[in-house]
Amino acid sequence: MTTPILVWVPTFTLFGILIALGVIEWGSLPIPTWLRFGVGLPLIVAGNVVVWSEAAKFGFAQTGGAKGTLRTSGIYRYSRNPQYVADIAMIVGWTVLCASPGAALISFAGIAVLIAAPFAEEPWLKKQYGSAFEDYRATVRRFL
């Protein structure tokens, strides 16, 4: 039970802070409206589609760190961490859309954590799935 708490509480806290700062400082940065809505909004939508569809396929327990099966099909054929890539897309999208300096600052920290997370997970994946994970890791990129 501890792992889901360690995963979901920081995740929702990060997104909550980003949303709050974005709303409070809405439009403070000089980003053109066409860019904000033309790039930011599609990144948010695409990121959500990927994250929530994959979370539904995994189940929320496994998405939160519980042992399950090694997924190598679907979007996982192209990226070992598509949910992290999608989370990064959502963060970048929100930062562009809200044009908030505070959200931009917090976004850098959030993205750094999302980039670092797979490096912490990979030893656990190797221990859990052994050669199946090693074979997968040898053929599929970490991010894109």
Side-chain angles (χ1 to χ4, degrees), residues 8-104:
W8 292 113
V9 170
T11 299
F12 286 118
T13 301
L14 169 68
F15 280 96
I17 291 169
L18 285 172
I19 291 167
L21 285 171
V23 169
I24 291 166
E25 300 177 340
W26 186 265
S28 297
L29 294 174
I31 300 173
T33 302
W34 68 267
L35 183 64
R36 290 172 58 194
F37 286 89
V39 173
L41 201 52
L43 284 173
I44 293 167
V45 171
N48 271 285
V49 166
V50 170
V51 165
W52 295 112
S53 66
E54 291 305 318
K57 290 173 189 170
F58 264 112
F60 290 99
Q62 188 174 349
T63 297
K67 185 178 179 184
T69 58
L70 179 64
R71 259 187 68 90
T72 60
S73 62
I75 200 165
Y76 282 85
R77 290 180 301 197
Y78 310 107
S79 170
R80 294 194 316 260
N81 299 284
Q83 291 187 60
Y84 289 139
V85 172
D87 283 336
I88 291 168
M90 285 189 283
I91 290 172
V92 170
W94 176 249
T95 303
V96 171
L97 179 65
C98 71
S100 156

Side-chain angles (χ1 to χ4, degrees), residues 80-81 84 112-124 142-143:
R80 294 194 316 260
N81 299 284
Y84 289 139
V113 169
L114 290 166
I115 290 171
F119 295 94
E121 287 179 353
E122 286 178 357
W124 180 85
R142 181 174 283 120
F143 295 110

